[in-house]
Amino acid sequence: MFTPNFLILIAVTVALGGAAQFYIKRTFKRYSNVRPVGGLTGAQVAERILQANGIAASMTETGASATGTSRTSVVVRAVDGDLTDHYDPRKNVVGLSKPVYGVSSISANAVAAHEVGHAMQTAERYVWGEIRSAIVPVVNFGSSLSWILILVGIILNMLQLFWLGIIFYSFAIVFQIVTLPVEFNASSRALAQLQTSGILTSAELPGARRVLNAAALTYVAAALVSVLYLLYYIGLGRSSS
């Protein structure tokens, strides 16, 4: 298993992941130092966009557990950490990290608008978002077993288990691929809302676009890494047949 090709694969995937993380952190930091003319914080941006689209917004700075009451009711709360911003479609909660929630910057505005874009997808039953949510149980089950089956299959030279592990691993890749249009669409919605709502000026929008593009690269890199590992293991399985 630990062949020269495998070591090269590890080096390539570590480089891809590291480069994507470096780029998003550098871009976020750069535009975190740029205060928008409108002066809105990430939380205020989230609230304004939600309300402009007919979605009730409930704000909480405590980070306490909360849940939206419907598809058109979203809780926006502060969460710990950096770049931990997310949207939970099960609870209809937008979680904004401290550098976003209460901070007025182009980065904060862009990230908040992106996460709200996911809430808009849920409210509108965006098809790719619905597909992603539907396959989560299958992905969780497959991911938990895939590496065990792959390793056991290699160690015991049991190709049936090995290929079963590959099939389960493929579920996770399908999830990552489906995630891409969901993320790109959320970013597209974010930029449109930032512009039409007058939150950012035309001179500020390119900065927001760079932040969102950098974030999107992390998802592209993750999907690419997974596909590379899948191709490697498929080649390994064929050579062992």
Side-chain angles (χ1 to χ4, degrees):
M1 179 177 177
F2 294 102
T3 63
N5 286 339
F6 184 71
L7 296 178
I8 292 173
L9 176 61
I10 291 177
V12 170
T13 55
V14 168
L16 280 173
Q21 286 299 315
F22 173 78
Y23 184 55
I24 177 59
K25 289 180 179 179
R26 187 185 69 171
T27 306
F28 183 88
K29 182 178 180 180
R30 174 185 177 185
Y31 289 100
S32 289
N33 296 321
V34 182
R35 181 179 174 86
V37 174
L40 297 182
T41 65
Q44 291 170 332
V45 166
E47 183 177 26
R48 176 176 292 191
I49 294 177
L50 287 168
Q51 292 178 346
N53 288 273
I55 302 174
S58 175
M59 320 299 291
T60 173
E61 294 186 42
T62 62
S65 177
T67 303
T69 57
S70 70
R71 284 178 176 264
T72 55
S73 174
V74 174
V75 172
V76 180
R77 66 185 182 94
V79 295
D80 294 328
D82 296 329
L83 299 178
T84 53
D85 311 271
H86 63 278
Y87 170 68
D88 186 343
R90 298 166 302 174
K91 298 181 179 180
N92 230 11
V93 172
V94 170
L96 300 179
S97 62
K98 297 296 177 63
V100 171
Y101 188 93
V103 175
S104 176
S105 71
I106 289 180
S107 287
N109 284 193
V111 171
H114 174 88
E115 299 306 336
V116 168
H118 287 306
M120 294 169 62
Q121 290 172 340
T122 295
E124 298 174 13
R125 296 183 182 274
Y126 176 63
V127 61
W128 286 108
E130 295 290 299
I131 292 174
R132 185 174 70 167
S133 296
I135 65 176
V136 165
V138 177
V139 171
N140 289 339
F141 175 77
S143 297
S144 63
L145 288 178
S146 61
W147 291 111
I148 296 175
L149 292 173
I150 289 173
L151 290 175
V152 171
I154 291 174
I155 294 171
L156 300 181
N157 196 28
M158 298 178 63
L159 286 179
Q160 295 89 344
L161 286 181
F162 176 84
W163 286 112
L164 184 59
I166 292 297
I167 292 173
F168 284 160
Y169 180 60
S170 299
F171 295 160
I173 296 179
V174 170
F175 179 80
Q176 289 178 318
I177 292 175
V178 170
T179 293
L180 294 179
V182 175
E183 295 297 329
F184 292 149
N185 178 265
S187 291
S188 178
R189 291 170 185 264
L191 290 171
Q193 291 297 319
L194 290 171
Q195 181 177 29
T196 58
S197 299
I199 295 172
L200 295 181
T201 67
S202 57
E204 295 167 337
L205 282 172
R209 183 176 290 106
R210 292 187 186 97
V211 172
L212 295 175
N213 286 344
L217 281 178
T218 61
Y219 291 97
V220 174
L224 181 57
V225 165
S226 295
V227 170
L228 288 175
Y229 274 104
L230 176 64
L231 293 175
Y232 173 80
Y233 284 120
I234 289 176
L236 186 63
R238 287 179 175 177
S239 64
S240 301
S241 300

